[in-house]
Amino acid sequence: AQTVTQSQPEMSVQEAETVTLSCTYDTSESDYYLFWYKQPPSRQMILVIRQEAYKQQNATENRFSVNFQKAAKSFSLKISDSQLGDAAMYFCAYRRGYANDYKLSFGAGTTVTVRA
Amino acid sequence: EAQVTQNPRYLITVTGKKLTVTCSQNMNHEYMSWYRQDPGLGLRQIYYSMNVEVTDKGDVPEGYKVSRKEKRNFPLILESPSPNQTSLYFCASRGLAGGPNRGGEQYFGPGTRLTVT
């Protein structure tokens, strides 16, 4: 079974500053996908960014970017120019690349607090 | 609007009283799944379904049942709820993978907060 580890239960960042959330995973697969989900107080799960393992280039979505280190099995999320609306719990998730494998394996989550 | 709906959003019940949490999606997705979220454990898959009448266990299926009689609906049934099933439950759906949709996202419902006393 795949394991996803988020070692930071909580992170705090000053508004407009940058924060990096760490995620490591364990897999023997070569084809897979990695995701970061945001869960604000509304509890809705919102996809922030996805990374395909076979792509070398790190994914970016506006102020959100990842540092994907395949050999190290590391997938960190960087939030730049943090805003109050970024305050949420963030989950790292993994999915195998098989066409009919849709199961997401999640980390325990990191709660991000943004200080005004 | 493409969405996954769950009902109820909040439920407080007593041990042993059967309950059903409904899930419905309007995107004609083949794949549907249930997860539970617990502090310090993230989300864990309970059951999933690849299509009508096709279901299988996830990582934590004990104490739960599901059925998939229609493509759009995937109810979660707790025949005899216990306090350790107090949790936040999410339903999710996805279309078939392939081509440009290979890495597509799952759509999550709004969550159901269940408390069993």
Side-chain angles (χ1 to χ4, degrees):
Chain A
Q2 286 71 38
T3 303
V4 179
T5 302
Q6 294 178 248
S7 59
Q8 307 152 313
E10 297 179 355
M11 294 287 283
S12 181
V13 60
Q14 188 71 35
E15 197 175 7
E17 297 294 311
T18 295
V19 64
T20 300
L21 311 184
S22 64
C23 172
T24 59
Y25 57 95
D26 182 28
T27 184
S28 58
E29 307 289 340
S30 59
D31 186 16
Y32 52 87
Y33 296 85
L34 295 163
F35 306 85
W36 279 98
Y37 280 87
K38 172 185 178 181
Q39 187 180 53
S42 66
R43 306 197 310 246
Q44 183 67 45
M45 294 291 286
I46 302 167
L47 178 65
V48 174
I49 200 165
R50 77 168 64 89
Q51 175 76 44
E52 298 167 66
Y54 64 86
K55 287 189 176 179
Q56 301 276 2
Q57 188 173 4
N58 289 324
T60 62
E61 287 288 341
N62 301 312
R63 298 181 295 106
F64 297 87
S65 62
V66 298
N67 183 4
F68 174 49
Q69 301 289 326
K70 190 172 185 178
K73 296 180 182 176
S74 171
F75 182 60
S76 62
L77 174 70
K78 184 170 79 173
I79 306 174
S80 303
D81 185 25
S82 296
Q83 301 176 359
L84 295 177
D86 295 333
M89 179 165 279
Y90 288 81
F91 291 99
C92 179
Y94 164 100
R95 179 173 77 79
R96 292 194 305 177
Y98 298 121
N100 292 325
D101 191 331
Y102 302 101
K103 175 188 169 183
L104 288 169
S105 297
F106 286 86
T110 298
T111 299
V112 172
T113 303
V114 181
R115 306 186 304 274
Chain B
E1 178 189 357
Q3 61 181 350
V4 178
T5 57
Q6 294 179 228
N7 283 292
R9 296 289 309 279
Y10 301 89
L11 179 59
I12 300 174
T13 189
V14 296
T15 299
K17 185 176 181 182
K18 181 180 178 180
L19 66 91
T20 299
V21 183
T22 64
C23 172
S24 183
Q25 49 93 5
N26 63 0
M27 296 166 279
N28 200 37
H29 284 167
E30 286 77 12
Y31 175 80
M32 299 185 74
S33 173
W34 277 101
Y35 293 85
R36 61 176 288 173
Q37 180 182 346
D38 300 291
L41 297 176
L43 282 76
R44 295 175 292 167
Q45 191 183 55
I46 303 170
Y47 267 96
Y48 66 94
S49 169
M50 297 300 294
N51 214 322
V52 175
E53 303 294 359
V54 181
T55 63
D56 206 348
K57 297 177 181 178
D59 295 324
V60 288
E62 294 76 20
Y64 304 94
K65 284 177 56 177
V66 292
S67 68
R68 187 92 180 272
K69 292 182 169 51
E70 301 169 284
K71 194 173 185 179
R72 63 183 293 127
N73 298 323
F74 190 45
L76 180 69
I77 303 158
L78 285 72
E79 296 262 354
S80 183
S82 63
N84 65 11
Q85 292 178 300
T86 292
S87 187
L88 177 60
Y89 291 87
F90 286 97
C91 181
S93 76
R94 244 208 79 171
L96 286 177
N101 190 39
R102 189 165 175 266
E105 66 178 292
Q106 289 197 28
Y107 290 79
F108 283 85
T112 295
R113 171 69 70 186
L114 172 65
T115 302
V116 183
T117 61

